[in-house]
């Protein structure tokens, strides 16, 4: 289970479904780290870039779930930025995704299907992880796979 959770977190870091949040704004001018943010100016959060910041993540382009296993308890990873923000696929603060726990559970069920089902690319096509930026991010070339129950259960 810890590794399954680590795979989900790494997927959300490396390929967050939304590259931006909804635009946010401030109700009065504020200064943050010597930047002045004017009242009512639309503010976009670069979610995808946060997850690729080399000052925060070692080899950020690598898909490496192990980076989350070094955290004592994967469950405790601060995905909604209560204490610190290292990535924010669900946003943070008062407009954070209210269903993030449901979404995480859903992702776990989906990825756990690999335990029981074997996935094979159709006609030997390689899996292409190129992204297409729409309202959310989708696969540029949709995944086509044959799925069948595993004959040999995974250890
Ligand atoms: C992997 C799945 C999901 C991701 C990555 C995701 C991500 C997000 C993000 C980034 C926001 C905007 C946060 C902000 O602007 O600060 C958001 C808002 C929201 N999400 Fe999700 N979400 C997911 C699944 C879901 C699901 C399953 C539901 C409901 C069943 C849901 C319901 C909502 C709602 C209602 C809001 C608006 C909250 C508000 O404006 O106060 N999301 N989500």
């Amino acid at each position: 289970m810890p590794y399954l959770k680590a795979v989900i977190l790494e997927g959300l870091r490396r390929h967050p479904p939304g590259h931006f949040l909804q635009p946010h704004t401030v109700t009065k001018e504020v200064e943050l780290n010597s930047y002045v943010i004017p009242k009512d100016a639309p503010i976009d959060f670069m979610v995808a870039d946060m997850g690729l910041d080399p000052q925060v993540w070692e080899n950020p382009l690598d898909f490496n779930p192990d980076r989350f296993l070094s955290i004592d308890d994967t469950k405790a990873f601060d995905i909604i930025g209560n204490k610190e923000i290292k990535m924010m696929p669900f946003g943070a603060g008062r407009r954070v995704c209210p269903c993030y726990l449901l979404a995480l559970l859903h992702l776990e069920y989906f990825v756990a299907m690999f335990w029981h089902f074997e996935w094979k690319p159709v006609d030997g096509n390689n899996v292409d992880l190129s992204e297409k930026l729409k309202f959310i991010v989708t696969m540029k070339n949709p995944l086509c796979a044959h799925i069948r129950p595993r004959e040999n259960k995974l250890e």
Side-chain angles (χ1 to χ4, degrees), residues 12 16-18 20-24 47 88-92 94-100 102-104 106-107:
L12 287 167
F20 303 94
L21 304 182
Q22 313 274 10
H24 287 242
V47 172
M88 47 191 284
F90 296 106
R94 70 170 64 171
R95 303 313 293 264
V96 71
C97 177
C99 302
Y100 79 95
L102 174 67
L104 287 172
H106 205 150
L107 290 169

Side-chain angles (χ1 to χ4, degrees), residues 8-23:
I8 305 294
L9 289 173
E10 180 67 341
L12 287 167
R13 180 195 70 82
R14 187 63 187 82
H15 298 283
H19 279 201
F20 303 94
L21 304 182
Q22 313 274 10

Side-chain angles (χ1 to χ4, degrees), residues 65-78:
D66 288 3
R67 66 177 89 239
F68 288 98
L69 291 179
S70 57
I71 297 163
D72 293 346
D73 175 3
T74 310
K75 250 187 179 166
F77 181 76
D78 188 10

Side-chain angles (χ1 to χ4, degrees), residues 40 56 63 111:
D40 292 335
V56 177
F63 186 87
V111 176

Side-chain angles (χ1 to χ4, degrees), residues 110 113-114 117-121 143 145-148 150:
F110 184 78
M113 284 204 305
F114 283 84
F117 295 91
E118 191 178 16
W119 291 55
K120 286 225 166 100
L143 177 69
H146 287 301
I147 306 169
R148 63 170 188 198
R150 281 189 192 281

